Amino acid sequence: ARGWPTFESRCAMLGKRTSQHAWPLLVDVAALGCDAGRTEAGLAPRYPPLRPDEFHALLVTKRFTNGADAELVANLYTATAREVIGGASMLKFGGLQWGVAELVELCAWLPHCQKLRTLSLVGNRIGDGGIRALAAVAASGGLQQLCDLNIGSNVISDRGGRALLKAIEAGHFPAMTKLETHGNRDLSELMRTRLREALRALDRERAARARVRTSSG
């Protein structure tokens, strides 16, 4: 495989979103074959964004007409990824069938997403392990600006719910106002209620702090 097409495909995966209501935004032309009339035949998978060191390791396995291009491409990817992922206020990775491994790869980027307010992971399979990975990022000081988290339809059970509840109650998601958990059949109504109550308590804490700032000002 060649180096420049690898760079182009990985950069496309950084910024494109999947949608059931639009033509595919990522297409693998080589996979179309003779069945080009079927959109899903050439639908390219979308992988989690690679860290710069991972992309550099990938480039080592690729061919370049000019060997000096390898360093240029690595630097271009680093700058692009930091701008697109690190500077994003909204990230949507819905319906990609990602599991825990892919979510863990994404979590390597999340501490650098200081402007991130909306994160949608709906329609994957991140499970309880994925929720624990998100909670760990939040506990380390990442996701401080996250307001809206959609983890619907992700095979999450009460074990994952407890990990998220603990993180919310510990103040690790200080800006969160909206949490979508629909479609997780093993997440009990009791746990959903406790999560909603935790968010309401967080709202009250923010309101109380705002009143203190207003009165002191």
Side-chain angles (χ1 to χ4, degrees), residues 99-131:
V100 178
E102 289 82 4
L103 199 281
V104 169
E105 289 185 49
L106 175 64
C107 283
W109 273 104
L110 294 181
H112 305 287
C113 300
Q114 298 299 315
K115 299 178 181 179
L116 185 63
R117 297 177 62 83
T118 299
L119 176 61
S120 178
L121 299 165
V122 63
N124 287 291
R125 301 184 62 82
I126 67 172
D128 299 329
I131 296 301

Side-chain angles (χ1 to χ4, degrees), residues 144-159:
Q144 293 292 294
Q145 302 302 317
L146 187 67
C147 300
D148 184 352
L149 175 62
N150 190 336
I151 51 172
S153 301
N154 263 292
V155 294
I156 297 164
S157 74
D158 281 0
R159 288 189 293 273

